[in-house]
Amino acid sequence: MSAASYQICTLPGDGIGPEIMEQAKRVLAALGQAFDVEFICEDALIGGAAIDATGSALPEETLERAKAADAVLLASVGGPKWDNPAPGAVRPEQGLLAIRKALELYINLRPVRIFAPLAQASTLKPEVLEGVDILIVRELTGGIYFGAHERETAVEGAGTGGTQGQRARDIMEYSEYEIERVVRWACDAAARRRGRLCSVDKANVLETSRLWREMATAIAADFEQVELSHMYVDNAAMQLVYNPAQFDVLVTENSFGDILSDEASMLTGSLGMLASASLGEGTALYEPSHGSAPDIAGQGIANPLAQILSVELMLRYSFGMDEAADALSDAIERVLADGWRTADIADAQTDSQHILGTAAITDKLLEALASN
Ligand code: IPM
Ligand code: MG
């Protein structure tokens, strides 16, 4: 009997999802052995795979299993097969949004950390990356993602030249409590880190942002150790590539966080290196920040590290297994320091002899874990 046993609801999804999930399971199995913990992974359907099998992007059975599990590990959803569906048809992404909402996972953490051996892989100069360690806290269950999305046809004057045409709208709304709970979490996180919290908004234009800014100011006042600053989102996008080391914790609403986190992933060299944790009321969910990369699916060349780094976050946040998480993180450092790369983080000139596929780089990682 193992000392502990955890039930993980695994959602491989679409595109490269199943390939990278398989590697995450191998890592979990190895860590389970090393730390005398039993991880029971059970696959369930989400996204395009679920639409094909059941017609729904988030089948009821998947949600029930997720709720009953100790943690949810998701890979990625979406692909060209399900793009541009007929009006009213389901999209794979709806499964992802629905599970976040159903589990009330309103906090999305995207830690941006630079692996020293990959400093060359970034498009930014290595000196700009020095000292970069950012925690992006993205609000995940509100804002424009979850407001009404509507389209009208035959609207007088909506067409070019005053003719009839279509008109669409997406509503962005935030209630006080939605802002408060995520900003409070971010303040707490900042207090445990370097004490700096930057709240990102567009308060010069948007009413939701003006409410966000007032709330952030009021909440941060409760935290003596936290120094709060505010930044407009356009400026934040610029500062992230100009001087990313200035940021400690960055908190922002859903859509701004979506965009800024993709941008910030490039500091790490690849979107293939950015993990995420979604926390809130229900079972926590861990997933890479990248998509399903349909263009490379099935080729065995996808970078599994964001998925594996999501396992690291799961060990820390859901299971309190910091020692195992540190061992995993060290092993990843060593594999990269030894020069092993997947294609997305490789320098074509210098790394060409060291480019590995999805399973082979995981083999190196398992060797590094075993030699710990
Ligand atoms: C992400 C993704 C999702 C999002 C998509 C797939 C719906 O881009 O997790 O960042 O926009 O939240
Ligand atoms: Mg995104």
Side-chain angles (χ1 to χ4, degrees):
M1 268 295 277
S2 299
S5 169
Y6 295 112
Q7 193 82 35
I8 302 169
C9 175
T10 41
L11 305 174
D14 309 316
I16 59 169
E19 301 162 54
I20 57 176
M21 182 62 84
E22 195 183 320
Q23 309 313 317
K25 287 180 186 168
R26 295 174 66 203
V27 169
L28 275 167
L31 287 169
Q33 282 228 307
F35 290 86
D36 192 26
V37 169
E38 188 184 21
F39 295 114
I40 304 164
C41 297
E42 264 186 52
D43 279 358
L45 291 168
I46 196 167
I51 294 173
D52 287 352
T54 71
S56 159
L58 178 65
E60 194 54 39
E61 190 194 334
T62 299
L63 186 56
E64 289 314 312
R65 288 223 234 141
K67 282 182 178 166
D70 295 307
V72 181
L73 184 65
L74 184 142
S76 53
V77 298
K81 181 175 174 193
W82 306 280
D83 276 346
N84 307 312
V90 274
R91 300 183 58 103
E93 288 81 0
Q94 287 172 303
L96 183 54
L97 300 181
I99 197 169
R100 289 172 178 171
K101 189 74 173 179
L103 298 174
E104 265 199 80
L105 303 173
Y106 55 84
I107 299 160
N108 182 228
L109 306 179
R110 300 190 163 182
V112 179
R113 95 185 224 224
I114 312 295
F115 288 91
L118 291 187
Q120 297 296 334
S122 173
T123 51
L124 298 185
K125 297 191 188 103
E127 58 268 31
V128 175
L129 299 175
E130 228 159 86
V132 168
D133 176 6
I134 309 172
L135 180 64
I136 297 181
V137 182
R138 168 188 175 192
E139 198 289 324
L140 200 61
T141 53
I144 200 164
Y145 271 61
F146 292 94
H149 308 292
E150 291 166 343
R151 192 178 316 197
E152 289 172 278
T153 49
V155 179
E156 288 309 327
T160 306
T163 57
Q164 278 196 349
Q166 300 189 62
R167 180 181 287 156
R169 76 178 71 78
D170 300 281
I171 308 292
M172 182 154 173
E173 269 181 334
Y174 269 104
S175 300
E176 282 185 19
Y177 81 91
E178 294 177 293
I179 302 171
E180 161 137 27
R181 59 189 183 179
V182 68
V183 170
R184 203 168 275 289
W185 200 97
C187 284
D188 247 332
R192 278 180 274 111
R193 288 171 49 105
R194 302 193 301 280
R196 275 182 290 136
L197 177 64
C198 180
S199 171
V200 173
D201 63 38
K202 188 72 185 175
N204 49 349
V205 178
L206 303 177
E207 199 55 38
T208 43
S209 283
R210 287 190 271 272
L211 178 60
W212 184 283
R213 193 174 277 226
E214 286 166 29
M215 298 286 300
T217 304
I219 294 157
D222 294 343
F223 293 79
E224 253 173 44
Q225 327 82 307
V226 175
E227 185 195 324
L228 174 73
S229 61
H230 302 281
M231 200 179 273
Y232 294 142
V233 64
D234 49 349
N235 185 27
M238 185 271 277
Q239 296 291 337
L240 269 174
V241 286
Y242 175 65
N243 177 17
Q246 72 184 284
F247 296 107
D248 178 11
V249 179
L250 196 155
V251 65
T252 192
E253 67 87 33
N254 206 342
S255 62
F256 297 162
D258 176 47
I259 297 166
L260 292 180
S261 60
D262 261 33
E263 185 193 6
S265 76
M266 275 300 126
L267 306 173
T268 71
S270 167
L271 193 47
M273 297 299 296
L274 203 69
S276 91
S278 302
L279 315 174
E281 303 291 336
T283 316
L285 180 152
Y286 301 84
E287 59 173 318
S289 299
H290 60 67
S292 60
D295 52 321
I296 59 165
Q299 297 176 30
I301 59 171
N303 181 351
L305 291 177
Q307 183 78 64
I308 293 169
L309 286 162
S310 302
V311 168
E312 183 202 329
L313 292 176
M314 178 168 79
L315 295 170
R316 285 188 205 284
Y317 286 100
S318 281
F319 305 147
M321 293 178 64
D322 283 356
E323 205 189 322
D326 290 343
L328 179 53
S329 163
D330 282 357
I332 294 173
E333 294 264 7
R334 271 182 287 141
V335 168
L336 295 173
D338 287 347
W340 301 110
R341 303 282 185 271
T342 44
D344 59 310
I345 49 174
D347 178 319
Q349 311 261 289
T350 54
D351 297 329
S352 61
Q353 304 301 308
H354 290 83
I355 299 179
L356 301 176
T358 313
I361 198 155
T362 311
D363 293 343
K364 294 287 174 203
L365 186 57
L366 295 177
E367 282 169 32
L369 267 177
S371 70
N372 203 9

